[in-house]
Amino acid sequence: GQNIDQPTEMTATEGAIVQINCTYQTSGFNGLFWYQQHAGEAPTFLSYNVLDGLEEKGRFSSFLSRSKGYSYLLLKELQMKDSASYLCAAMDSNYQLIWGAGTKLIIKP
Amino acid sequence: ETGVTQTPRHLVMGMTNKKSLKCEQHLGHNAMYWYKQSAKKPLELMFVYNFKEQTENNSVPSRFSPECPNSSHLFLHLHTLQPEDSALYLCASSQDMSGGTDTQYFGPGTRLTVL
C-alpha cells in the first residue's frame, strides 16, 4: 500500500532550527512536496524535490533521498509565525498526491 | 491569496438538507480537485477533474456529487449527509496532471458541520 509517515507534533524555540522528517512508500514516484498550513487556512506550497539532495529557499530547505524513501524540511531562524502544520506529500506514478497527516509545529518564545 | 476561492467558508446543515459548495480558480489551470480534511488525518482525495472530465472518484459515497461546468468552476453537491461527513472541504487546482512539477494550489476551504 501507499503510505506517508511524519511526526504528529514537534516543539521548538524561536530563533532555533528544526527538522521535520517524512518517510514515504508509493507506487512509483514523481516527487515530494511540502506544504504549510496555518490553523483554519489553506495549505500553501513550500517546496518540491524530485532529485536527491538539498533545495534551499531562504530560511526553509528540503532534502530528498529517493533510495531511502526519505525527506526532511529544515526550518532555520524560527519565528513565531512558523507555528503551523507541515504536510508532506509524495506524488505517485499516476501523478496523484499521497498525503501525510501533517506535523504540528509549536514555536515557543 | 492563492487564486482559488471557495464559498461558503462555513456551513451547518441537517442530515436532510441539500447544499452545494463552490470553488473558483483564477489561475488558468486545467485540473481541479476536491479533498476532505479531518482532524489529525491525511488529506483524502475525493474527486479530480482534468480539462472538465472527471478522472478520479476515490470510492466517495453518492451523497457527494461533483460538477465541473468549466475549467474555472467546481461544485460539490451535498445531500442526506451524515455527522461523520463533518470536516474541512478543500478545493485545489493545478496547471494539469501531466508532470511531476504540477503544484496544487488550495482554496481556504469550507468548514462543514452536519447536525
Side-chain angles (χ1 to χ4, degrees):
Chain A
Q2 307 199 98
N3 190 55
I4 304 284
D5 281 317
Q6 53 181 130
T8 303
E9 188 173 296
M10 299 182 71
T11 302
T13 304
E14 190 176 16
I17 299 174
V18 71
Q19 178 175 310
I20 303 174
N21 296 324
C22 170
T23 58
Y24 64 89
Q25 288 178 304
T26 55
S27 301
F29 181 74
N30 279 302
L32 193 291
F33 291 80
W34 284 96
Y35 281 78
Q36 180 191 60
Q37 186 178 24
H38 285 101
E41 296 184 14
T44 54
F45 170 74
L46 288 178
S47 68
Y48 170 75
N49 295 66
V50 68
L51 300 177
D52 286 352
L54 187 68
E55 297 271 348
E56 297 187 67
K57 267 189 191 180
R59 294 189 300 113
F60 292 10
S61 302
S62 55
F63 172 84
L64 176 68
S65 169
R66 295 178 64 141
S67 62
K68 295 182 179 178
Y70 168 70
S71 173
Y72 67 73
L73 182 68
L74 190 72
L75 291 74
K76 301 177 185 176
E77 303 169 16
L78 285 171
Q79 301 175 8
M80 298 303 294
K81 67 178 182 179
D82 297 329
S83 293
S85 287
Y86 291 85
L87 311 180
C88 173
M91 184 169 275
D92 69 11
S93 56
N94 294 320
Y95 300 107
Q96 289 199 9
L97 288 177
I98 310 302
W99 294 85
T103 298
K104 182 178 180 181
L105 178 63
I106 300 168
I107 309 297
K108 295 186 174 179
Chain B
E1 190 62 45
T2 62
V4 181
T5 58
Q6 289 187 244
T7 54
R9 293 294 309 275
H10 300 273
L11 178 62
V12 179
M13 58 187 289
M15 289 191 284
T16 58
N17 292 158
K18 286 186 181 181
K19 297 285 184 184
S20 296
L21 310 185
K22 180 183 176 182
C23 175
E24 183 173 1
Q25 56 95 1
H26 309 274
L27 301 169
H29 289 169
N30 296 304
M32 296 188 78
Y33 310 77
W34 278 118
Y35 285 93
K36 177 183 179 182
Q37 187 175 36
S38 303
K40 300 185 179 180
K41 289 186 177 179
L43 286 174
E44 297 174 47
L45 180 64
M46 300 175 71
F47 300 104
V48 182
Y49 280 81
N50 196 27
F51 291 93
K52 299 189 296 177
E53 297 295 320
Q54 185 174 315
T55 60
E56 194 70 33
N57 173 348
N58 279 354
S59 303
V60 180
S62 60
R63 57 186 184 268
F64 295 92
S65 174
E67 178 189 0
C68 188
N70 55 62
S71 55
S72 298
H73 293 85
L74 185 64
F75 295 89
L76 188 63
H77 303 299
L78 316 171
H79 65 97
T80 59
L81 294 191
Q82 305 297 311
E84 60 265 29
D85 296 322
S86 298
L88 182 67
Y89 288 84
L90 291 164
C91 173
S93 71
S94 64
Q95 185 59 48
D96 51 41
M97 295 181 68
S98 63
T101 56
D102 212 17
T103 300
Q104 293 182 22
Y105 294 88
F106 285 83
T110 296
R111 173 67 63 186
L112 174 67
T113 303
V114 182
L115 301 177

